[in-house]
């Protein structure tokens, strides 16, 4: 019989109740308090219930949370690097009591699990950010997410009532127990796991084949289909690419399975976490790159994590972890050798080529050929189908500026010009109209302003996804919200930020409603430019002063930019 590596902690936890008990609990769940889970919670719950997070038996209690944050260990000393917590708002926590059973539901109200509440605690999020992510910088996506989440953590054992429903990639969704049974049946004993959140190209295939050859093993290709990073290529496109390139490996040497993980982009700690998860699936080798699960660079251009820091942390715990780390340098293409070479194998003076994500998106956007050495024809075809040439791709023109700057007038002029002179499908999301419909009921607090922009961005992204053009004209005073809007749209097409930079005194002079006067007198609270800040965009695609030229003239400048980018044919 094939002997697989032991699950982390020695026992593979499966946390579902027997069917009869689960049915009775579902029927009785209407009388219990509930918590509705967001997408990250749902990913964590599924991996808890299936045993991918073994030895955890639920969302972390305070003692485990503290031990993990401060020392990468559970309270009993077991190695574990990432907090797995159920965060809720103060209002949601106010009526809850330790000892209660709480129903965990999805957004449709389906009862998925019971949480026996053992701990209610309020974390020090600054401490968590520094210890887990190594920074308080809100430009780190993990830190930004942490700081905006609920301020109360609920801990306790979970009992599954039913499996989460998935309608996509059903044949690729394999639990740890199912995976272990498959590996044993195939008599695979040396299994290399590869974590990915991006489409694979020739360099990745070369890297994984080298890893397989190094240990005489098979490959578990285990891409993340939960939450990755804003701006990543969508899950469906990525998985289509994985399926297309499996044929480039030796026959019966690769198992493709998707993982519903919500990534945190926590670099070294996340690399260790990923290794533990793959160990629970039965892998005994794990590939770790130089910047594994890194979020890129901060605003100064420095990486959030040092090169090889992830490899060093996982290797430091290799004996205790019980899974062998395969550290690899990035692969680049040597034209002289006509082959892929690891960067640490390059000869002195040898030049090498690579295609960055930014360059790849440019190739896709402008229709120029992708180098044949970079990717496979079938992968390129899938990417081009998903990201068509600019003239056939959706885009959003996103105006931002003070009240009275002329955003709405300019948006209307742009829309008229496009409808009159092109065949593009155009939708206008004006700030005032959105406030009366899509965002009815929202006020002007920071949270409500953010919710308003995110709603606009969501609708704009859907328009862009279907090849249309969205013109958005909110005030959008906060840089973070504009960045979120950009990330949502750029998954599907182009985002053109236009800062309407009309001076404040001109905006006030135009104000027929007297809003600025009311704000200056204190009668109107939270008014942008007076009692609330406006964060000027650092590098918009276009900056226009609405007081210098006519709306038609300024709209023509935007049309010219769209033509230069190939977005109007």
């Amino acid at each position: 019989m094939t002997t697989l590596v032991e699950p982390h902690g020695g026992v593979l936890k499966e946390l579902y109740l027997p069917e009869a008990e689960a049915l009775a609990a579902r029927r009785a769940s209407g009388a219990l308090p509930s918590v509705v889970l967001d997408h990250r919670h749902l990913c964590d719950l599924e991996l808890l219930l299936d045993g991918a997070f073994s030895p955890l038996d639920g969302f972390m209690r305070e003692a485990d949370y503290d031990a993990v944050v401060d020392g990468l260990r559970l309270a009993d000393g077991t190695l574990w690097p990432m907090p797995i917590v159920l965060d809720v708002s103060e209002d949601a926590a106010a009526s809850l009591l330790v000892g209660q059973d709480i129903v965990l539901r999805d957004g449709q109200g389906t009862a998925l699990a019971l949480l026996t509440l053992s701990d209610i605690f309020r974390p020090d999020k600054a401490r968590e950010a520094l210890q887990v992510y190594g920074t308080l910088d809100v430009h780190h996506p993990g830190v930004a997410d942490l700081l905006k989440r609920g301020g109360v953590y609920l801990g306790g054992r979970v009992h599954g009532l039913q499996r989460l429903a998935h309608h996509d990639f059903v044949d690729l969704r394999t639990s740890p127990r199912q995976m272990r049974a498959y590996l044993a049946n195939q008599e695979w004993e040396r299994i290399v796991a590869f974590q990915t959140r991006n489409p694979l190209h020739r360099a990745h295939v070369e890297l994984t084949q080298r890893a397989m050859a190094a240990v005489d093993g098979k490959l578990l290709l285990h891409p993340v289909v939960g939450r990755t990073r804003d701006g990543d290529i969508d899950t469906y496109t990525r998985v289509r690419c994985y399926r297309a390139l499996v044929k480039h490996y030796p026959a019966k040497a690769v198992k493709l399975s998707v993982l519903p993980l919500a990534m945190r982009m926590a670099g070294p700690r996340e690399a260790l976490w990923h290794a533990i998860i793959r160990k629970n699936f039965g892998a005994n080798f794990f590939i770790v790159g130089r910047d594994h699960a890194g979020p890129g660079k901060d605003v100064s251009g420095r990486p959030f994590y040092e090169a090889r820091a992830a490899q060093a942390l996982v290797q430091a715990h290799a004996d205790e972890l019980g899974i062998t780390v395969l550290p690899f340098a990035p692969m680049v293409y040597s034209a002289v050798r006509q082959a892929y070479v690891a960067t640490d194998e390059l000869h002195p003076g040898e030049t090498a080529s690579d295609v960055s994500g930014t360059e790849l998106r440019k190739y896709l956007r402008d229709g120029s050929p992708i180098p044949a050495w970079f990717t496979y024809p079938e992968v390129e075809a899938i990417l081009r189908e998903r990201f068509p040439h600019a003239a056939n791709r959706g885009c959003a023109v996103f105006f931002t500026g003070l009240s009275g700057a002329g955003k709405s007038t300019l948006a209307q002029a742009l829309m008229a010009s496009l409808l009159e002179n092109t065949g593009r499908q155009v939708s206008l999301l004006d700030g005032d109209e959105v406030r009366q419909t899509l965002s009815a009921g929202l006020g002007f607090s920071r949270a409500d302003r953010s919710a308003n922009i995110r709603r606009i961005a969501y609708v704009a992204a859907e328009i862009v996804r279907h090849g249309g053009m969205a013109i958005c004209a909110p005030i959008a005073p906060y840089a973070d919200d504009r960045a979120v809007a950009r990330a949502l749209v750029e998954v599907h097409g182009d985002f053109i930020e236009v800062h309407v930079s009309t001076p404040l005194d001109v905006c006030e002079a135009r104000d027929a409603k007297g809003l600025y006067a009311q704000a200056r007198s204190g009668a109107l609270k939270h008014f942008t430019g007076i009692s609330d800040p406006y964060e000027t965009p650092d590098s918009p695609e276009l900056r226009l002063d609405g007081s210098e030229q006519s709306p038609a003239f300024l709209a023509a400048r935007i049309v010219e930019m769209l033509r230069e980018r190939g977005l109007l044919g």
Side-chain angles (χ1 to χ4, degrees):
M1 292 291 292
T2 297
T3 302
L4 298 175
V5 63
E6 274 196 348
H8 197 55
V11 177
L12 186 68
K13 298 290 182 74
E14 286 187 303
L15 306 178
Y16 292 96
L17 290 175
E19 182 53 37
E21 291 182 40
L23 177 60
R26 291 198 298 270
R27 289 173 174 169
S29 65
L32 297 175
S34 296
V35 170
V36 177
L37 305 183
D38 65 19
H39 182 62
R40 194 189 89 175
H41 296 148
L42 290 170
C43 290
D44 287 353
L45 177 64
E46 182 170 5
L47 295 179
L48 282 168
L49 296 177
D50 279 350
F53 286 174
S54 295
L56 303 188
D57 64 1
F59 290 101
M60 285 183 177
R61 292 78 159 172
E62 188 170 14
D64 281 329
Y65 166 81
D66 286 337
V68 166
V69 168
D70 291 333
L72 289 89
R73 296 183 180 278
L74 301 173
D76 67 4
T78 304
L79 182 67
W80 189 271
M82 294 296 295
I84 306 298
V85 296
L86 177 56
D87 61 276
V88 298
S89 67
E90 288 284 354
D91 288 345
S95 60
L96 302 179
L97 299 172
V98 169
Q100 285 181 311
D101 278 343
I102 298 168
V103 184
L104 304 182
R105 301 183 184 274
D106 65 15
Q108 287 71 50
T110 304
L112 299 172
L114 294 178
L115 168 69
T116 301
L117 187 57
S118 59
D119 289 56
I120 302 174
F121 60 102
R122 290 160 179 79
D124 179 346
K125 289 194 174 185
R127 164 176 157 251
E128 182 178 338
L130 283 172
Q131 294 290 88
V132 175
Y133 299 101
T135 182
L136 286 173
D137 188 342
V138 296
H139 293 94
H140 187 299
V143 174
D145 182 65
L146 168 66
L147 296 180
K148 75 182 181 186
R149 300 187 71 83
V152 182
Y153 288 176
L154 308 179
R157 184 180 175 87
V158 295
H159 305 270
L161 303 182
Q162 57 187 307
R163 294 187 176 278
L164 279 73
H166 293 288
H167 306 291
D168 56 345
F169 311 125
V170 176
D171 60 320
L172 299 180
R173 294 184 182 273
T174 310
S175 72
R177 187 169 298 282
Q178 291 169 334
M179 181 65 74
R180 285 172 166 270
Y182 173 87
L183 298 175
N185 184 60
Q186 296 295 311
E187 298 185 343
W188 288 9
E189 292 189 348
R190 303 175 69 78
I191 301 107
V192 178
F194 183 58
Q195 151 89 25
T196 176
R197 54 175 244 271
N198 293 305
L200 301 190
H201 302 290
R202 290 182 184 270
H204 303 100
V205 173
E206 175 72 19
L207 183 151
T208 51
Q209 288 179 336
R210 285 191 178 199
M212 295 164 69
V215 301
D216 190 23
K218 311 295 186 181
L219 178 67
L220 171 56
L221 182 57
H222 214 198
V224 171
V225 296
R227 189 185 65 175
T228 58
R229 185 179 178 184
D230 288 344
D232 282 351
I233 289 175
D234 66 280
T235 295
Y236 296 98
T237 301
R238 286 187 282 119
V239 176
R240 289 178 65 205
C241 291
Y242 302 138
R243 278 181 157 153
L245 60 73
V246 166
K247 68 182 181 182
H248 291 282
Y249 291 90
K252 299 182 179 180
V254 178
K255 172 64 173 175
L256 171 62
S257 180
V258 298
L259 182 71
L261 177 73
M263 292 184 66
R264 273 64 159 182
M265 308 306 296
R269 281 197 181 222
E270 184 141 352
L272 184 56
W273 185 41
H274 290 173
I276 290 171
I277 292 168
R278 275 36 182 246
K279 174 185 175 184
N280 285 329
F281 276 87
N284 43 7
F285 298 92
F286 184 59
I287 297 172
V288 179
R290 279 188 173 177
D291 189 30
H292 190 106
K297 299 178 181 179
D298 61 20
V299 292
S300 69
R302 292 179 300 180
F304 278 102
Y305 304 115
E306 295 294 327
R308 299 186 184 272
Q311 296 175 349
L313 182 64
V314 182
Q315 287 177 312
H317 295 89
D319 290 343
E320 182 179 6
L321 181 61
I323 182 171
T324 302
V325 180
L326 301 176
F328 275 88
M331 305 293 292
V332 292
Y333 183 74
S334 169
V336 173
R337 304 190 213 182
Q338 294 188 342
Y340 273 96
V341 182
T343 53
D344 56 7
E345 297 174 356
L346 289 171
H347 300 150
E350 183 178 9
T351 59
S353 302
D354 194 13
V355 174
S356 69
T358 300
E359 289 175 311
L360 178 59
R361 287 189 291 273
K362 182 179 182 298
Y363 288 135
L364 295 171
R365 183 172 61 243
D366 61 22
S368 56
I370 298 173
W373 52 261
F374 176 72
T375 197
Y376 298 95
E378 55 268 51
V379 172
E380 180 176 359
I382 292 169
L383 293 174
R384 289 202 183 280
E385 181 181 22
R386 175 62 184 83
F387 300 98
H389 186 271
N392 301 313
R393 190 172 62 245
C395 75
V397 179
F398 191 93
F399 293 99
T400 175
L402 296 172
S403 176
K407 301 181 301 298
S408 295
T409 302
L410 184 50
Q412 291 166 3
L414 175 61
M415 183 174 182
S417 177
L418 292 170
L419 292 176
E420 181 178 350
N421 298 296
T422 76
R424 295 303 303 256
Q425 295 295 314
V426 186
S427 299
L428 175 60
L429 300 171
D430 181 69
D432 289 339
E433 292 181 2
V434 167
R435 281 280 182 178
Q436 297 170 18
T437 52
L438 183 66
S439 294
L442 292 181
F444 292 90
S445 66
R446 174 66 189 260
D448 281 0
R449 287 180 184 272
S450 294
N452 177 54
I453 297 306
R454 290 165 196 244
R455 292 180 187 183
I456 291 172
Y458 172 78
V459 174
E462 287 298 296
I463 293 169
V464 171
R465 182 164 71 93
H466 293 285
M469 181 175 289
I471 301 175
C472 311
I475 292 174
Y478 300 117
D480 286 350
D481 295 333
R482 297 192 297 263
V484 167
R486 179 182 292 274
L488 285 171
V489 169
E490 286 188 338
V491 170
H492 307 295
D494 290 65
F495 185 89
I496 310 295
E497 184 178 28
V498 180
H499 175 215
V500 185
S501 59
T502 310
L504 177 60
D505 59 338
V506 176
C507 295
E508 288 196 65
R510 291 176 171 178
D511 182 18
K513 298 178 183 178
L515 300 178
Y516 278 98
Q518 294 178 53
R520 289 196 180 279
S521 71
L524 184 60
K525 307 297 184 183
H526 304 297
F527 193 79
T528 300
I530 304 300
S531 50
D532 254 21
Y534 178 80
E535 298 174 357
T536 302
D538 291 328
S539 53
E541 279 71 14
L542 202 57
R543 203 183 305 273
L544 303 173
D545 184 338
S547 65
E548 289 187 344
Q549 300 286 349
S550 69
F553 180 89
L554 298 176
R557 287 191 58 189
I558 301 172
V559 170
E560 180 183 3
M561 168 180 277
L562 296 175
R563 290 198 185 281
E564 289 173 352
R565 290 177 172 241
L567 292 165
L568 297 180

